Amino acid sequence: KRVSDVRKSRIERQQALRLRKDSNRLVGPLDYQNSLVLNGSEGSFKIDPIRGLGYSMDMKMNDLLENHLFKVGAYVSANIKNVDLWGEYNYLANKVDWTLRVDRKILDQETEMLSQKIRYNRVELKAVYPFNLLSKLSVSGMFTNNRAIDQYNLSTPEDVSSYVGGRLAYTFDNTVHVAENLQTGFRLLTGVEFQKSLRQTSFTRITFDARKYLKISNSLFLATRLSGSQAVGNAATQTLLGGMDNWLFIQREGRNKENPMGTAGIAERDVFMSDVASPLRGFNVNKLSGQSHILLNLELRVPLKSLMGPDFSKSRFMNSFQFAGFTDIGSAWTGSNPFARTNGFNTNTYGGNTNPFLATVTDFRNPFLMGYGLGARAYLLGYFIKLDYAFGMDNKEIKAPVTYLSFG
């Protein structure tokens, strides 16, 4: 081995000397070195529905053949107490793509009476099989650990839950990008997830998300979306319904009924395993929650450029400016259906805790919420900004309008 190393070194020196004498002469063959290169890093503001405003950053690295892709990222909330860390490795050399991902999330929450920290950790291995350019099937297995820690009384035992589970998902997407926030085509994502707790509890959750984008004319685009989910089992998680994604001045609904965000300002231990269904404009985040949900969104988009002509402006802000009119209809419930007499939507508990009186009241309201209004969208300072003004209708009563400023 030593003789071969000396010979290789002598050949490399001779090649270097020849190249120095004649720079136009081709030298080779040389050994291929498949080094990693930095593919880019991005940072942006992010609004987490549970923890609020923060800053998110991610970085990507890959080899020259793009068979190996590494991703790492982090999120830090505005109070610097809530942090996300994640890392991902993708093996892309064959038809089946493999992904190994590790997630860690922290929620630090405090009231006058309680102080609690929730730690969420997950390891997931996923395989993706593409049928063609438009559809794919993914299968994943995962281990999840949730911990709730009492920060006022350290002698209190940690509340721990651990799950072993899997997910099967199918994706179809033939959408065509026309402009920012304007597409044509159809997109479908449906899947089933099973989680088994080490405490012998479990749940199964079925989800679907179907979107249809239609170009009515050069100046009218209709976006429709129908999504829903149902979770069953003795550890079934709930879905939070209401608000918008990346709502800058996010507002959460305070409720006296059991829900993932808690009833005393302290979220439940498994809150990160809950889904968030949005947009349902005209209402706060967590207006409703339940083990099942259904949500319909209709939005008519009118790009300003199509009304003024292709040479209207060279400004990105003006060229991306859009008007929008929308309607959102949805409900979340626990029980057989949203109209059942015994579902969670119709049952409310009053009193308890320090109040010596406790009452359970069942009323029969319209379980569906509806929001409608107008909005505008445009690129501003590198972000796609959305401004919506919405009225909410709850049990045939029109609520005070809500203004949403969101981005992304």
Side-chain angles (χ1 to χ4, degrees), residues 2-52:
R2 180 180 179 84
V3 174
S4 63
D5 290 342
V6 172
R7 183 180 178 183
K8 182 179 179 180
S9 177
R10 185 183 300 122
I11 294 174
E12 290 176 350
R13 287 200 301 271
Q14 292 174 353
Q15 290 177 341
L17 290 173
R18 287 196 297 269
L19 185 61
R20 189 180 304 173
K21 294 178 181 178
D22 188 1
S23 59
N24 295 322
R25 183 177 178 181
L26 294 176
V27 179
L30 302 176
D31 292 336
Y32 172 72
Q33 295 181 353
N34 190 17
S35 58
L36 292 175
V37 295
L38 182 63
N39 197 19
S41 60
E42 297 180 357
S44 62
F45 289 100
K46 172 186 174 182
I47 312 297
D48 185 271
I50 299 173
R51 295 165 294 178

Side-chain angles (χ1 to χ4, degrees), residues 58-75:
D58 62 80
M59 182 177 66
K60 302 177 184 178
M61 295 181 65
N62 60 267
D63 66 327
L64 296 179
L65 295 179
E66 297 186 350
N67 290 330
H68 305 275
L69 175 62
F70 297 88
K71 300 179 182 179
V72 293
Y75 161 85

